[in-house]
């Protein structure tokens, strides 16, 4: 399972839209836009989990610096939490 960080997301992007963008490259186990607890608005980043490492790498390579809802996103493998 590869965990992918997606940054610079437009605040309007939903979990489903994030899932759809990555589904073009393979199976998506989970897609989650991180929301601010107090305001309920997107924080502008999210995470996608893909079970197949080669599909995940193809998604990282294919979507990095590409537009999702009008903003070019930054996509890379998520670093583990400390």
């Amino acid at each position: 399972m590869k965990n992918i960080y997606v940054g610079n997301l437009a605040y309007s992007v939903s979990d489903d839209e994030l899932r759809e963008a990555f589904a073009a490259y393979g199976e998506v186990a989970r897609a989650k836009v991180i929301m601010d607890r107090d305001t309920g608005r997107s924080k502008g980043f999210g995470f996608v989990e893909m079970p197949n490492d080669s599909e995940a790498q193809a998604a990282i390579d294919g979507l990095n610096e590409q537009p999702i809802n009008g903003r070019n996103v930054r996509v890379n493998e998520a670093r583990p939490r400390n």
Side-chain angles (χ1 to χ4, degrees):
M1 184 74 66
K2 192 168 277 214
N3 195 16
I4 302 166
Y5 167 82
V6 186
N8 201 40
L9 280 174
Y11 294 119
S12 61
V13 173
S14 68
D15 292 350
D16 288 339
E17 289 170 314
L18 190 58
R19 175 184 294 276
E20 283 175 28
F22 280 80
Y25 294 90
E27 183 186 347
V28 175
R30 189 168 160 249
K32 183 76 180 149
V33 175
I34 304 304
M35 306 301 259
D36 184 284
R37 241 183 262 137
D38 298 328
T39 65
R41 280 189 51 197
S42 165
K43 287 191 168 189
F45 68 95
F47 295 93
V48 176
E49 290 179 358
M50 296 181 78
N52 182 306
D53 283 355
S54 61
E55 290 174 356
Q57 191 59 53
I60 291 168
D61 296 339
L63 289 171
N64 190 41
E65 296 299 328
Q66 295 303 307
I68 296 178
N69 273 20
R71 283 184 81 174
N72 287 3
V73 295
R74 269 182 235 104
V75 183
N76 49 51
E77 189 169 351
R79 287 184 234 121
R81 287 187 192 176
N82 292 343

